[in-house]
């Protein structure tokens, strides 16, 4: 599913970039963060992931309300 692919890609990008950002010297942090965000937004279908989360929340609310 698109949201499944997005979740996998999110994990891959996070595992690759978070250590780089965390370990970056203070004077390079902003540059590393911006690069991380660029890669994240280019490689992850955030809309598909958020859509799936929203649908699941709505399903759970409906179930909790007995609808």
């Amino acid at each position: 599913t698109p949201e499944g692919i997005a979740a996998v890609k999110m994990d891959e990008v996070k595992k690759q970039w978070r250590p780089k950002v965390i370990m970056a010297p203070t004077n390079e942090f902003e540059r590393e963060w911006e690069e991380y965000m660029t890669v994240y937004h280019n490689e992850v279908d955030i809309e598909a992931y958020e859509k799936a989360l929203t649908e699941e929340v709505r399903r759970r609310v409906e179930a909790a309300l007995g609808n």
Side-chain angles (χ1 to χ4, degrees), residues 18-36:
R18 282 187 175 172
K20 291 180 185 181
V21 172
I22 292 168
M23 299 303 290
T26 304
N27 63 333
E28 295 178 17
F29 176 83
E30 288 299 325
R31 181 178 55 80
E32 292 291 334
W33 178 260
E34 290 302 320
E35 183 67 21
Y36 167 44

Side-chain angles (χ1 to χ4, degrees), residues 1 5 10 16 22-23 29 33 36 43 51-52 54-55:
T1 64
I5 294 168
M10 285 167 58
Q16 177 186 0
I22 292 168
M23 299 303 290
F29 176 83
W33 178 260
Y36 167 44
E43 295 188 16
K51 180 181 176 190
T54 300
E55 289 171 0

Side-chain angles (χ1 to χ4, degrees), residues 1-62:
T1 64
E3 62 272 14
I5 294 168
V8 169
K9 198 63 178 169
M10 285 167 58
D11 192 49
E12 290 173 357
V13 171
K14 287 176 187 177
K15 285 179 180 176
Q16 177 186 0
W17 279 92
R18 282 187 175 172
K20 291 180 185 181
V21 172
I22 292 168
M23 299 303 290
T26 304
N27 63 333
E28 295 178 17
F29 176 83
E30 288 299 325
R31 181 178 55 80
E32 292 291 334
W33 178 260
E34 290 302 320
E35 183 67 21
Y36 167 44
M37 289 290 96
T38 298
V39 170
Y40 191 82
H41 287 282
N42 287 338
E43 295 188 16
V44 176
D45 187 353
I46 298 168
E47 287 184 24
Y49 187 75
E50 288 178 344
K51 180 181 176 190
L53 288 179
T54 300
E55 289 171 0
E56 180 62 17
V57 168
R58 286 183 179 144
R59 185 192 67 76
R60 290 182 185 195
V61 168
E62 291 295 317

